[in-house]
Amino acid sequence: EGALEKGGTPILVTTVIGLKAYSNGKFVNSYTNYCDACKSMASKYNIPCIDLNTLMVNHYNSIGYDAAYKYHLIGAVEGSTDTTHFTETGANAVAGLVANAIKGLNLDISAQVK
């Protein structure tokens, strides 16, 4: 509400997925309660919401588990068990998903996103 009152345009973003979102041979949405709450709030305030959770599910399913594995620290740091946090490659891929989503929102900043 504060951002809207000041003329800002908040953009809500649902949570990322990790490798544990892999089930029965494919990636699936995770943190659905949080994502649903985020979408609900966006609807309530009539503000944009980027469903990054679903964008990542689709992207990960398109590249496959082995490639997605390399996006996470477990796939790059010897001895790591971290299936949540990203390598630079993974972070860049996720940032690209967000950037492309912002481009599609047709906001004032959309044209500035590369």
Side-chain angles (χ1 to χ4, degrees):
E1 289 176 332
L4 291 171
E5 289 169 2
K6 291 181 171 116
T9 304
I11 302 171
L12 299 180
V13 181
T14 62
T15 188
V16 298
I17 65 168
L19 291 176
K20 291 180 182 177
Y22 191 74
S23 178
N24 296 321
K26 66 178 184 171
F27 286 95
V28 296
N29 290 88
S30 59
Y31 305 105
T32 53
N33 288 343
Y34 173 83
C35 293
D36 289 346
C38 197
K39 293 173 197 175
S40 178
M41 183 175 288
S43 178
K44 176 180 178 179
Y45 290 101
N46 195 31
I47 57 176
C49 180
I50 296 171
D51 188 357
L52 182 57
N53 199 271
T54 297
L55 291 173
M56 288 187 69
V57 166
N58 294 338
H59 177 68
Y60 276 27
N61 282 326
S62 75
I63 64 170
Y65 184 88
D66 291 341
Y69 186 88
K70 293 176 184 173
Y71 281 8
H72 295 269
L73 292 179
I74 192 171
V77 177
E78 188 174 335
S80 176
T81 58
D82 189 341
T83 60
T84 301
H85 297 97
F86 303 109
T87 61
E88 185 174 351
T89 299
N92 285 333
V94 174
L97 293 173
V98 173
N100 284 332
I102 290 172
K103 287 182 204 177
L105 291 176
N106 296 319
L107 299 172
D108 290 343
I109 65 165
S110 296
Q112 305 302 316
V113 179
K114 296 183 181 194

